Amino acid sequence: MSNVFSIAIDGPAGAGKSTMAKALAKALGAMYLDTGAMYRAFGLFMLRKGAVNDAAAVAKCVEDVDIAVRFVDGAQRLYLSGEDVTDAIRVPEVSMAASTVSAVPQVRERMVALQRKIAEGQNVVMDGRDIGTKVLPNATLKIYLTASAEERARRRCKELEEKGKAEPYEQVLRDMIQRDYQDTHRAASPLQPAEDAVHVDTSDLTIEESVALMKKMADEAIGKH
Ligand code: DC
């Protein structure tokens, strides 16, 4: 029995994790932590060094990179050595870099430690790839969110377009499939559903329907714990 609850949301890129986790956290009055943003910030750091694919350099750099997560007016912002990189990390090049550096065990160790520290003692909704399996193994509720690759690529295209950073659908789909492959095939904490995760396929659900379903599951799980 604990008086705080934690909700773990995992799944592949574009399944709607951040949109839905954010809305769920708001509905539950909990903190929302987007863990992918932390890997993205470090991916950007390594991109700028031109060493994303150099695993030894990645492992060395993660030891003392200055990554900070702050909440400004309730919204999560990411800082690299004091520079606000919240917007700079939302481009396809950084998505791929984040996926690549996240396969290095030392990177995962540091990020998981940071994530646990940020969430300590708080009601939290956290999303990522290894939340239910690694970061919060005792989470009150674990949800594995999926949607077809085509639907996820369509959503990501729309998101990029709204930001004025449109990319061709075929390219987005290709990148998504490659990133899924990298994230599920790495040796260290690959993306996989926790044994006790509830699977939710959002392909045919609106955001509102998905959030309502997750809120119902969360209320039930919190009521029992
Ligand atoms: O959720 P996202 O697309 O912002 O994540 C970017 C990359 O970071 C993703 O391709 C894999 C990695 N990641 C991870 O390995 N573990 C997490 N908990 C979150 C993200």
Side-chain angles (χ1 to χ4, degrees):
M1 235 357 217
S2 129
N3 52 4
V4 292
F5 65 79
S6 53
I7 316 277
I9 302 183
D10 291 298
K17 295 186 302 293
S18 49
T19 308
M20 293 169 202
K22 200 184 289 174
L24 181 64
K26 197 166 174 218
L28 295 170
M31 162 197 206
Y32 164 57
L33 185 66
D34 168 1
T35 64
M38 299 165 72
Y39 290 94
R40 284 171 180 268
F42 182 57
L44 175 63
F45 181 82
M46 293 311 300
L47 261 181
R48 287 176 174 173
K49 283 204 173 303
V52 168
N53 295 303
D54 179 345
V58 168
K60 175 104 198 63
C61 287
V62 79
E63 282 174 22
D64 39 32
V65 63
D66 175 8
I67 291 183
V69 177
R70 288 184 210 136
F71 294 88
V72 181
D73 296 329
Q76 175 178 322
R77 301 201 73 83
L78 261 287
Y79 297 82
L80 257 186
S81 310
E83 175 196 349
D84 186 339
V85 294
T86 312
D87 297 322
I89 58 177
R90 298 289 156 195
V91 295
E93 201 188 5
V94 175
S95 306
M96 202 57 84
S99 173
T100 303
V101 299
S102 73
V104 176
Q106 289 88 339
V107 175
R108 308 210 63 81
E109 261 167 52
R110 171 119 202 256
M111 296 300 163
V112 170
L114 267 171
Q115 289 152 15
R116 288 187 180 144
K117 192 151 174 254
I118 294 168
E120 209 175 3
Q122 312 209 46
N123 290 329
V124 67
V125 177
M126 220 189 265
D127 76 352
R129 303 291 188 289
D130 59 343
I131 310 304
T133 52
K134 179 86 188 178
V135 185
L136 303 172
N138 299 316
T140 315
L141 172 68
K142 300 177 185 179
I143 297 176
Y144 192 78
L145 268 189
T146 52
S148 67
E150 290 74 17
E151 176 58 24
R152 291 187 285 120
R154 265 193 295 278
R155 291 177 187 172
R156 189 47 58 90
C157 275
K158 193 162 162 255
E159 203 178 292
L160 288 168
E161 207 178 298
E162 282 165 5
K163 286 187 186 146
K165 293 174 181 160
E167 298 264 332
Y169 171 80
E170 290 304 329
Q171 170 78 39
V172 172
L173 180 62
R174 237 190 344 263
D175 282 0
M176 196 150 266
I177 290 170
Q178 188 188 336
R179 207 141 69 86
D180 284 353
Y181 185 87
Q182 285 188 182
D183 294 346
T184 51
H185 286 77
R186 66 183 178 218
S189 308
L191 167 65
Q192 58 180 34
E195 276 179 16
D196 48 351
V198 185
H199 291 238
V200 175
D201 187 328
T202 67
S203 304
D204 299 318
L205 297 179
T206 63
I207 293 173
E208 293 73 22
E209 287 167 341
S210 308
V211 174
L213 178 63
M214 290 162 68
K215 169 81 167 50
K216 191 162 168 278
M217 289 173 178
D219 285 339
E220 275 171 23
I222 293 165
K224 277 193 216 142
H225 111 118

PDB file of all heavy atoms in Angstrom, residues 143-175:
ATOM      1  N   ILE A 143       0.073   0.591 -19.080  1.00  0.00           N
ATOM      2  CA  ILE A 143      -0.679   0.548 -20.341  1.00  0.00           C
ATOM      3  C   ILE A 143       0.315   0.452 -21.486  1.00  0.00           C
ATOM      4  O   ILE A 143       1.314   1.186 -21.515  1.00  0.00           O
ATOM      5  CB  ILE A 143      -1.558   1.812 -20.503  1.00  0.00           C
ATOM      6  CG1 ILE A 143      -2.607   1.872 -19.390  1.00  0.00           C
ATOM      7  CG2 ILE A 143      -2.237   1.839 -21.874  1.00  0.00           C
ATOM      8  CD1 ILE A 143      -3.458   3.137 -19.408  1.00  0.00           C
ATOM      9  N   TYR A 144       0.046  -0.464 -22.419  1.00  0.00           N
ATOM     10  CA  TYR A 144       0.866  -0.567 -23.624  1.00  0.00           C
ATOM     11  C   TYR A 144       0.011  -0.067 -24.787  1.00  0.00           C
ATOM     12  O   TYR A 144      -0.970  -0.694 -25.173  1.00  0.00           O
ATOM     13  CB  TYR A 144       1.309  -2.012 -23.853  1.00  0.00           C
ATOM     14  CG  TYR A 144       2.381  -2.116 -24.903  1.00  0.00           C
ATOM     15  CD1 TYR A 144       3.703  -1.797 -24.593  1.00  0.00           C
ATOM     16  CD2 TYR A 144       2.082  -2.501 -26.200  1.00  0.00           C
ATOM     17  CE1 TYR A 144       4.697  -1.860 -25.556  1.00  0.00           C
ATOM     18  CE2 TYR A 144       3.076  -2.566 -27.170  1.00  0.00           C
ATOM     19  CZ  TYR A 144       4.384  -2.244 -26.827  1.00  0.00           C
ATOM     20  OH  TYR A 144       5.361  -2.305 -27.782  1.00  0.00           O
ATOM     21  N   LEU A 145       0.373   1.120 -25.292  1.00  0.00           N
ATOM     22  CA  LEU A 145      -0.418   1.762 -26.346  1.00  0.00           C
ATOM     23  C   LEU A 145       0.135   1.424 -27.719  1.00  0.00           C
ATOM     24  O   LEU A 145       1.334   1.573 -27.954  1.00  0.00           O
ATOM     25  CB  LEU A 145      -0.301   3.281 -26.196  1.00  0.00           C
ATOM     26  CG  LEU A 145      -1.302   4.068 -25.379  1.00  0.00           C
ATOM     27  CD1 LEU A 145      -1.055   5.546 -25.591  1.00  0.00           C
ATOM     28  CD2 LEU A 145      -2.743   3.726 -25.731  1.00  0.00           C
ATOM     29  N   THR A 146      -0.730   1.002 -28.602  1.00  0.00           N
ATOM     30  CA  THR A 146      -0.281   0.722 -29.966  1.00  0.00           C
ATOM     31  C   THR A 146      -1.251   1.319 -30.968  1.00  0.00           C
ATOM     32  O   THR A 146      -2.354   1.742 -30.621  1.00  0.00           O
ATOM     33  CB  THR A 146      -0.209  -0.799 -30.258  1.00  0.00           C
ATOM     34  OG1 THR A 146      -1.472  -1.368 -29.896  1.00  0.00           O
ATOM     35  CG2 THR A 146       0.892  -1.469 -29.515  1.00  0.00           C
ATOM     36  N   ALA A 147      -0.824   1.343 -32.205  1.00  0.00           N
ATOM     37  CA  ALA A 147      -1.678   1.686 -33.350  1.00  0.00           C
ATOM     38  C   ALA A 147      -0.888   1.172 -34.552  1.00  0.00           C
ATOM     39  O   ALA A 147       0.332   0.971 -34.444  1.00  0.00           O
ATOM     40  CB  ALA A 147      -1.896   3.186 -33.439  1.00  0.00           C
ATOM     41  N   SER A 148      -1.548   0.981 -35.675  1.00  0.00           N
ATOM     42  CA  SER A 148      -0.834   0.460 -36.851  1.00  0.00           C
ATOM     43  C   SER A 148       0.244   1.470 -37.266  1.00  0.00           C
ATOM     44  O   SER A 148       0.117   2.672 -36.999  1.00  0.00           O
ATOM     45  CB  SER A 148      -1.819   0.259 -38.000  1.00  0.00           C
ATOM     46  OG  SER A 148      -2.302   1.520 -38.433  1.00  0.00           O
ATOM     47  N   ALA A 149       1.304   0.980 -37.926  1.00  0.00           N
ATOM     48  CA  ALA A 149       2.395   1.867 -38.353  1.00  0.00           C
ATOM     49  C   ALA A 149       1.860   2.957 -39.284  1.00  0.00           C
ATOM     50  O   ALA A 149       2.267   4.120 -39.196  1.00  0.00           O
ATOM     51  CB  ALA A 149       3.484   1.048 -39.050  1.00  0.00           C
ATOM     52  N   GLU A 150       0.921   2.585 -40.161  1.00  0.00           N
ATOM     53  CA  GLU A 150       0.371   3.556 -41.115  1.00  0.00           C
ATOM     54  C   GLU A 150      -0.371   4.673 -40.380  1.00  0.00           C
ATOM     55  O   GLU A 150      -0.222   5.849 -40.690  1.00  0.00           O
ATOM     56  CB  GLU A 150      -0.584   2.871 -42.108  1.00  0.00           C
ATOM     57  CG  GLU A 150       0.101   1.947 -43.109  1.00  0.00           C
ATOM     58  CD  GLU A 150       0.577   0.632 -42.487  1.00  0.00           C
ATOM     59  OE1 GLU A 150       0.120   0.280 -41.375  1.00  0.00           O
ATOM     60  OE2 GLU A 150       1.414  -0.036 -43.127  1.00  0.00           O
ATOM     61  N   GLU A 151      -1.177   4.291 -39.391  1.00  0.00           N
ATOM     62  CA  GLU A 151      -1.934   5.283 -38.637  1.00  0.00           C
ATOM     63  C   GLU A 151      -0.968   6.169 -37.830  1.00  0.00           C
ATOM     64  O   GLU A 151      -1.128   7.389 -37.751  1.00  0.00           O
ATOM     65  CB  GLU A 151      -2.937   4.571 -37.703  1.00  0.00           C
ATOM     66  CG  GLU A 151      -3.742   5.478 -36.786  1.00  0.00           C
ATOM     67  CD  GLU A 151      -4.566   6.545 -37.513  1.00  0.00           C
ATOM     68  OE1 GLU A 151      -4.892   6.350 -38.693  1.00  0.00           O
ATOM     69  OE2 GLU A 151      -4.851   7.579 -36.866  1.00  0.00           O
ATOM     70  N   ARG A 152       0.061   5.567 -37.281  1.00  0.00           N
ATOM     71  CA  ARG A 152       1.027   6.338 -36.492  1.00  0.00           C
ATOM     72  C   ARG A 152       1.779   7.330 -37.400  1.00  0.00           C
ATOM     73  O   ARG A 152       2.033   8.461 -37.012  1.00  0.00           O
ATOM     74  CB  ARG A 152       1.993   5.396 -35.769  1.00  0.00           C
ATOM     75  CG  ARG A 152       1.284   4.621 -34.660  1.00  0.00           C
ATOM     76  CD  ARG A 152       2.221   3.811 -33.814  1.00  0.00           C
ATOM     77  NE  ARG A 152       2.704   2.598 -34.459  1.00  0.00           N
ATOM     78  CZ  ARG A 152       3.973   2.315 -34.703  1.00  0.00           C
ATOM     79  NH1 ARG A 152       4.919   3.154 -34.366  1.00  0.00           N
ATOM     80  NH2 ARG A 152       4.307   1.185 -35.261  1.00  0.00           N
ATOM     81  N   ALA A 153       2.107   6.878 -38.614  1.00  0.00           N
ATOM     82  CA  ALA A 153       2.805   7.771 -39.550  1.00  0.00           C
ATOM     83  C   ALA A 153       1.892   8.923 -39.968  1.00  0.00           C
ATOM     84  O   ALA A 153       2.329  10.069 -40.088  1.00  0.00           O
ATOM     85  CB  ALA A 153       3.282   6.986 -40.771  1.00  0.00           C
ATOM     86  N   ARG A 154       0.606   8.621 -40.167  1.00  0.00           N
ATOM     87  CA  ARG A 154      -0.355   9.679 -40.542  1.00  0.00           C
ATOM     88  C   ARG A 154      -0.417  10.725 -39.430  1.00  0.00           C
ATOM     89  O   ARG A 154      -0.400  11.920 -39.678  1.00  0.00           O
ATOM     90  CB  ARG A 154      -1.751   9.083 -40.756  1.00  0.00           C
ATOM     91  CG  ARG A 154      -2.043   8.739 -42.215  1.00  0.00           C
ATOM     92  CD  ARG A 154      -3.534   8.453 -42.439  1.00  0.00           C
ATOM     93  NE  ARG A 154      -3.996   7.265 -41.736  1.00  0.00           N
ATOM     94  CZ  ARG A 154      -3.852   6.009 -42.181  1.00  0.00           C
ATOM     95  NH1 ARG A 154      -3.259   5.782 -43.344  1.00  0.00           N
ATOM     96  NH2 ARG A 154      -4.300   5.002 -41.493  1.00  0.00           N
ATOM     97  N   ARG A 155      -0.492  10.259 -38.192  1.00  0.00           N
ATOM     98  CA  ARG A 155      -0.573  11.190 -37.051  1.00  0.00           C
ATOM     99  C   ARG A 155       0.690  12.040 -36.953  1.00  0.00           C
ATOM    100  O   ARG A 155       0.631  13.227 -36.698  1.00  0.00           O
ATOM    101  CB  ARG A 155      -0.749  10.408 -35.741  1.00  0.00           C
ATOM    102  CG  ARG A 155      -2.093   9.733 -35.625  1.00  0.00           C
ATOM    103  CD  ARG A 155      -2.158   8.934 -34.340  1.00  0.00           C
ATOM    104  NE  ARG A 155      -3.365   8.136 -34.259  1.00  0.00           N
ATOM    105  CZ  ARG A 155      -3.591   7.229 -33.311  1.00  0.00           C
ATOM    106  NH1 ARG A 155      -2.691   7.019 -32.368  1.00  0.00           N
ATOM    107  NH2 ARG A 155      -4.717   6.553 -33.290  1.00  0.00           N
ATOM    108  N   ARG A 156       1.844  11.383 -37.150  1.00  0.00           N
ATOM    109  CA  ARG A 156       3.106  12.121 -37.042  1.00  0.00           C
ATOM    110  C   ARG A 156       3.213  13.167 -38.158  1.00  0.00           C
ATOM    111  O   ARG A 156       3.676  14.285 -37.936  1.00  0.00           O
ATOM    112  CB  ARG A 156       4.284  11.125 -37.085  1.00  0.00           C
ATOM    113  CG  ARG A 156       5.662  11.669 -36.777  1.00  0.00           C
ATOM    114  CD  ARG A 156       5.762  12.548 -35.553  1.00  0.00           C
ATOM    115  NE  ARG A 156       5.362  11.997 -34.291  1.00  0.00           N
ATOM    116  CZ  ARG A 156       6.149  11.353 -33.428  1.00  0.00           C
ATOM    117  NH1 ARG A 156       7.397  11.165 -33.712  1.00  0.00           N
ATOM    118  NH2 ARG A 156       5.698  10.917 -32.278  1.00  0.00           N
ATOM    119  N   CYS A 157       2.724  12.837 -39.366  1.00  0.00           N
ATOM    120  CA  CYS A 157       2.740  13.788 -40.493  1.00  0.00           C
ATOM    121  C   CYS A 157       1.921  15.018 -40.147  1.00  0.00           C
ATOM    122  O   CYS A 157       2.340  16.151 -40.389  1.00  0.00           O
ATOM    123  CB  CYS A 157       2.128  13.151 -41.738  1.00  0.00           C
ATOM    124  SG  CYS A 157       3.282  12.185 -42.682  1.00  0.00           S
ATOM    125  N   LYS A 158       0.760  14.770 -39.555  1.00  0.00           N
ATOM    126  CA  LYS A 158      -0.150  15.861 -39.202  1.00  0.00           C
ATOM    127  C   LYS A 158       0.520  16.778 -38.159  1.00  0.00           C
ATOM    128  O   LYS A 158       0.493  18.001 -38.280  1.00  0.00           O
ATOM    129  CB  LYS A 158      -1.454  15.259 -38.647  1.00  0.00           C
ATOM    130  CG  LYS A 158      -2.575  16.238 -38.548  1.00  0.00           C
ATOM    131  CD  LYS A 158      -3.915  15.512 -38.430  1.00  0.00           C
ATOM    132  CE  LYS A 158      -4.953  16.483 -37.899  1.00  0.00           C
ATOM    133  NZ  LYS A 158      -5.285  16.231 -36.495  1.00  0.00           N
ATOM    134  N   GLU A 159       1.158  16.136 -37.194  1.00  0.00           N
ATOM    135  CA  GLU A 159       1.842  16.871 -36.123  1.00  0.00           C
ATOM    136  C   GLU A 159       2.958  17.746 -36.710  1.00  0.00           C
ATOM    137  O   GLU A 159       3.074  18.935 -36.365  1.00  0.00           O
ATOM    138  CB  GLU A 159       2.437  15.820 -35.199  1.00  0.00           C
ATOM    139  CG  GLU A 159       2.722  16.212 -33.786  1.00  0.00           C
ATOM    140  CD  GLU A 159       3.276  14.975 -33.059  1.00  0.00           C
ATOM    141  OE1 GLU A 159       2.525  14.001 -32.849  1.00  0.00           O
ATOM    142  OE2 GLU A 159       4.478  14.968 -32.733  1.00  0.00           O
ATOM    143  N   LEU A 160       3.745  17.168 -37.634  1.00  0.00           N
ATOM    144  CA  LEU A 160       4.864  17.918 -38.227  1.00  0.00           C
ATOM    145  C   LEU A 160       4.334  19.071 -39.077  1.00  0.00           C
ATOM    146  O   LEU A 160       4.882  20.170 -39.067  1.00  0.00           O
ATOM    147  CB  LEU A 160       5.741  16.984 -39.080  1.00  0.00           C
ATOM    148  CG  LEU A 160       6.600  15.983 -38.295  1.00  0.00           C
ATOM    149  CD1 LEU A 160       7.186  14.915 -39.222  1.00  0.00           C
ATOM    150  CD2 LEU A 160       7.739  16.690 -37.555  1.00  0.00           C
ATOM    151  N   GLU A 161       3.231  18.788 -39.790  1.00  0.00           N
ATOM    152  CA  GLU A 161       2.626  19.811 -40.643  1.00  0.00           C
ATOM    153  C   GLU A 161       2.149  20.991 -39.799  1.00  0.00           C
ATOM    154  O   GLU A 161       2.380  22.144 -40.141  1.00  0.00           O
ATOM    155  CB  GLU A 161       1.440  19.166 -41.362  1.00  0.00           C
ATOM    156  CG  GLU A 161       1.091  19.798 -42.683  1.00  0.00           C
ATOM    157  CD  GLU A 161      -0.073  19.037 -43.301  1.00  0.00           C
ATOM    158  OE1 GLU A 161       0.100  17.834 -43.590  1.00  0.00           O
ATOM    159  OE2 GLU A 161      -1.155  19.634 -43.444  1.00  0.00           O
ATOM    160  N   GLU A 162       1.515  20.676 -38.659  1.00  0.00           N
ATOM    161  CA  GLU A 162       1.004  21.733 -37.790  1.00  0.00           C
ATOM    162  C   GLU A 162       2.120  22.610 -37.237  1.00  0.00           C
ATOM    163  O   GLU A 162       1.914  23.748 -36.876  1.00  0.00           O
ATOM    164  CB  GLU A 162       0.204  21.110 -36.624  1.00  0.00           C
ATOM    165  CG  GLU A 162      -1.184  20.676 -37.070  1.00  0.00           C
ATOM    166  CD  GLU A 162      -1.875  19.732 -36.072  1.00  0.00           C
ATOM    167  OE1 GLU A 162      -1.328  19.485 -34.979  1.00  0.00           O
ATOM    168  OE2 GLU A 162      -2.960  19.241 -36.421  1.00  0.00           O
ATOM    169  N   LYS A 163       3.316  22.017 -37.182  1.00  0.00           N
ATOM    170  CA  LYS A 163       4.463  22.786 -36.675  1.00  0.00           C
ATOM    171  C   LYS A 163       5.203  23.478 -37.810  1.00  0.00           C
ATOM    172  O   LYS A 163       6.273  24.035 -37.612  1.00  0.00           O
ATOM    173  CB  LYS A 163       5.426  21.834 -35.972  1.00  0.00           C
ATOM    174  CG  LYS A 163       4.923  21.378 -34.639  1.00  0.00           C
ATOM    175  CD  LYS A 163       6.004  20.589 -33.946  1.00  0.00           C
ATOM    176  CE  LYS A 163       5.481  19.991 -32.678  1.00  0.00           C
ATOM    177  NZ  LYS A 163       6.086  18.692 -32.411  1.00  0.00           N
ATOM    178  N   GLY A 164       4.660  23.373 -39.027  1.00  0.00           N
ATOM    179  CA  GLY A 164       5.311  23.989 -40.180  1.00  0.00           C
ATOM    180  C   GLY A 164       6.569  23.228 -40.597  1.00  0.00           C
ATOM    181  O   GLY A 164       7.461  23.775 -41.230  1.00  0.00           O
ATOM    182  N   LYS A 165       6.647  21.930 -40.213  1.00  0.00           N
ATOM    183  CA  LYS A 165       7.842  21.144 -40.538  1.00  0.00           C
ATOM    184  C   LYS A 165       7.443  19.894 -41.319  1.00  0.00           C
ATOM    185  O   LYS A 165       7.905  18.784 -41.027  1.00  0.00           O
ATOM    186  CB  LYS A 165       8.561  20.724 -39.243  1.00  0.00           C
ATOM    187  CG  LYS A 165       9.152  21.904 -38.476  1.00  0.00           C
ATOM    188  CD  LYS A 165       9.711  21.461 -37.143  1.00  0.00           C
ATOM    189  CE  LYS A 165      10.273  22.649 -36.386  1.00  0.00           C
ATOM    190  NZ  LYS A 165      10.395  22.400 -34.939  1.00  0.00           N
ATOM    191  N   ALA A 166       6.546  20.064 -42.292  1.00  0.00           N
ATOM    192  CA  ALA A 166       5.991  18.923 -43.025  1.00  0.00           C
ATOM    193  C   ALA A 166       7.065  18.044 -43.663  1.00  0.00           C
ATOM    194  O   ALA A 166       8.084  18.541 -44.143  1.00  0.00           O
ATOM    195  CB  ALA A 166       5.034  19.434 -44.085  1.00  0.00           C
ATOM    196  N   GLU A 167       6.817  16.742 -43.650  1.00  0.00           N
ATOM    197  CA  GLU A 167       7.702  15.749 -44.291  1.00  0.00           C
ATOM    198  C   GLU A 167       6.806  14.827 -45.104  1.00  0.00           C
ATOM    199  O   GLU A 167       5.657  14.590 -44.715  1.00  0.00           O
ATOM    200  CB  GLU A 167       8.381  14.877 -43.228  1.00  0.00           C
ATOM    201  CG  GLU A 167       9.280  15.590 -42.266  1.00  0.00           C
ATOM    202  CD  GLU A 167      10.741  15.540 -42.694  1.00  0.00           C
ATOM    203  OE1 GLU A 167      11.122  14.568 -43.375  1.00  0.00           O
ATOM    204  OE2 GLU A 167      11.469  16.480 -42.347  1.00  0.00           O
ATOM    205  N   PRO A 168       7.305  14.255 -46.215  1.00  0.00           N
ATOM    206  CA  PRO A 168       6.457  13.339 -46.995  1.00  0.00           C
ATOM    207  C   PRO A 168       6.059  12.105 -46.176  1.00  0.00           C
ATOM    208  O   PRO A 168       6.880  11.579 -45.410  1.00  0.00           O
ATOM    209  CB  PRO A 168       7.346  12.940 -48.175  1.00  0.00           C
ATOM    210  CG  PRO A 168       8.540  13.810 -48.124  1.00  0.00           C
ATOM    211  CD  PRO A 168       8.634  14.440 -46.774  1.00  0.00           C
ATOM    212  N   TYR A 169       4.820  11.647 -46.384  1.00  0.00           N
ATOM    213  CA  TYR A 169       4.281  10.491 -45.648  1.00  0.00           C
ATOM    214  C   TYR A 169       5.197   9.268 -45.742  1.00  0.00           C
ATOM    215  O   TYR A 169       5.491   8.616 -44.743  1.00  0.00           O
ATOM    216  CB  TYR A 169       2.869  10.164 -46.158  1.00  0.00           C
ATOM    217  CG  TYR A 169       2.318   8.866 -45.624  1.00  0.00           C
ATOM    218  CD1 TYR A 169       1.769   8.788 -44.347  1.00  0.00           C
ATOM    219  CD2 TYR A 169       2.364   7.698 -46.390  1.00  0.00           C
ATOM    220  CE1 TYR A 169       1.282   7.588 -43.847  1.00  0.00           C
ATOM    221  CE2 TYR A 169       1.874   6.490 -45.904  1.00  0.00           C
ATOM    222  CZ  TYR A 169       1.331   6.443 -44.634  1.00  0.00           C
ATOM    223  OH  TYR A 169       0.862   5.250 -44.140  1.00  0.00           O
ATOM    224  N   GLU A 170       5.648   8.971 -46.991  1.00  0.00           N
ATOM    225  CA  GLU A 170       6.469   7.769 -47.194  1.00  0.00           C
ATOM    226  C   GLU A 170       7.732   7.805 -46.337  1.00  0.00           C
ATOM    227  O   GLU A 170       8.157   6.796 -45.782  1.00  0.00           O
ATOM    228  CB  GLU A 170       6.859   7.617 -48.677  1.00  0.00           C
ATOM    229  CG  GLU A 170       5.692   7.252 -49.592  1.00  0.00           C
ATOM    230  CD  GLU A 170       4.968   5.979 -49.144  1.00  0.00           C
ATOM    231  OE1 GLU A 170       5.633   5.093 -48.567  1.00  0.00           O
ATOM    232  OE2 GLU A 170       3.739   5.889 -49.347  1.00  0.00           O
ATOM    233  N   GLN A 171       8.321   9.006 -46.263  1.00  0.00           N
ATOM    234  CA  GLN A 171       9.546   9.188 -45.477  1.00  0.00           C
ATOM    235  C   GLN A 171       9.265   8.977 -43.973  1.00  0.00           C
ATOM    236  O   GLN A 171      10.010   8.298 -43.268  1.00  0.00           O
ATOM    237  CB  GLN A 171      10.048  10.624 -45.735  1.00  0.00           C
ATOM    238  CG  GLN A 171      11.168  11.094 -44.840  1.00  0.00           C
ATOM    239  CD  GLN A 171      12.501  10.520 -45.279  1.00  0.00           C
ATOM    240  OE1 GLN A 171      12.753  10.416 -46.480  1.00  0.00           O
ATOM    241  NE2 GLN A 171      13.318  10.130 -44.327  1.00  0.00           N
ATOM    242  N   VAL A 172       8.143   9.560 -43.516  1.00  0.00           N
ATOM    243  CA  VAL A 172       7.774   9.454 -42.094  1.00  0.00           C
ATOM    244  C   VAL A 172       7.516   7.989 -41.744  1.00  0.00           C
ATOM    245  O   VAL A 172       7.969   7.501 -40.707  1.00  0.00           O
ATOM    246  CB  VAL A 172       6.540  10.342 -41.793  1.00  0.00           C
ATOM    247  CG1 VAL A 172       6.013  10.107 -40.384  1.00  0.00           C
ATOM    248  CG2 VAL A 172       6.901  11.813 -41.972  1.00  0.00           C
ATOM    249  N   LEU A 173       6.812   7.274 -42.641  1.00  0.00           N
ATOM    250  CA  LEU A 173       6.504   5.858 -42.395  1.00  0.00           C
ATOM    251  C   LEU A 173       7.794   5.032 -42.336  1.00  0.00           C
ATOM    252  O   LEU A 173       7.982   4.203 -41.455  1.00  0.00           O
ATOM    253  CB  LEU A 173       5.564   5.335 -43.490  1.00  0.00           C
ATOM    254  CG  LEU A 173       5.159   3.869 -43.374  1.00  0.00           C
ATOM    255  CD1 LEU A 173       4.382   3.591 -42.092  1.00  0.00           C
ATOM    256  CD2 LEU A 173       4.306   3.436 -44.575  1.00  0.00           C
ATOM    257  N   ARG A 174       8.698   5.308 -43.294  1.00  0.00           N
ATOM    258  CA  ARG A 174       9.985   4.583 -43.323  1.00  0.00           C
ATOM    259  C   ARG A 174      10.764   4.807 -42.027  1.00  0.00           C
ATOM    260  O   ARG A 174      11.254   3.876 -41.407  1.00  0.00           O
ATOM    261  CB  ARG A 174      10.808   5.077 -44.517  1.00  0.00           C
ATOM    262  CG  ARG A 174      11.205   3.979 -45.461  1.00  0.00           C
ATOM    263  CD  ARG A 174      12.211   4.345 -46.528  1.00  0.00           C
ATOM    264  NE  ARG A 174      12.442   5.742 -46.786  1.00  0.00           N
ATOM    265  CZ  ARG A 174      11.875   6.440 -47.761  1.00  0.00           C
ATOM    266  NH1 ARG A 174      10.993   5.880 -48.558  1.00  0.00           N
ATOM    267  NH2 ARG A 174      12.182   7.698 -47.950  1.00  0.00           N
ATOM    268  N   ASP A 175      10.839   6.070 -41.600  1.00  0.00           N
ATOM    269  CA  ASP A 175      11.574   6.410 -40.370  1.00  0.00           C
ATOM    270  C   ASP A 175      10.947   5.719 -39.161  1.00  0.00           C
ATOM    271  O   ASP A 175      11.631   5.243 -38.262  1.00  0.00           O
ATOM    272  CB  ASP A 175      11.543   7.926 -40.107  1.00  0.00           C
ATOM    273  CG  ASP A 175      12.524   8.672 -40.997  1.00  0.00           C
ATOM    274  OD1 ASP A 175      13.210   8.024 -41.808  1.00  0.00           O
ATOM    275  OD2 ASP A 175      12.595   9.913 -40.880  1.00  0.00           O
TER     276      ASP A 175
END
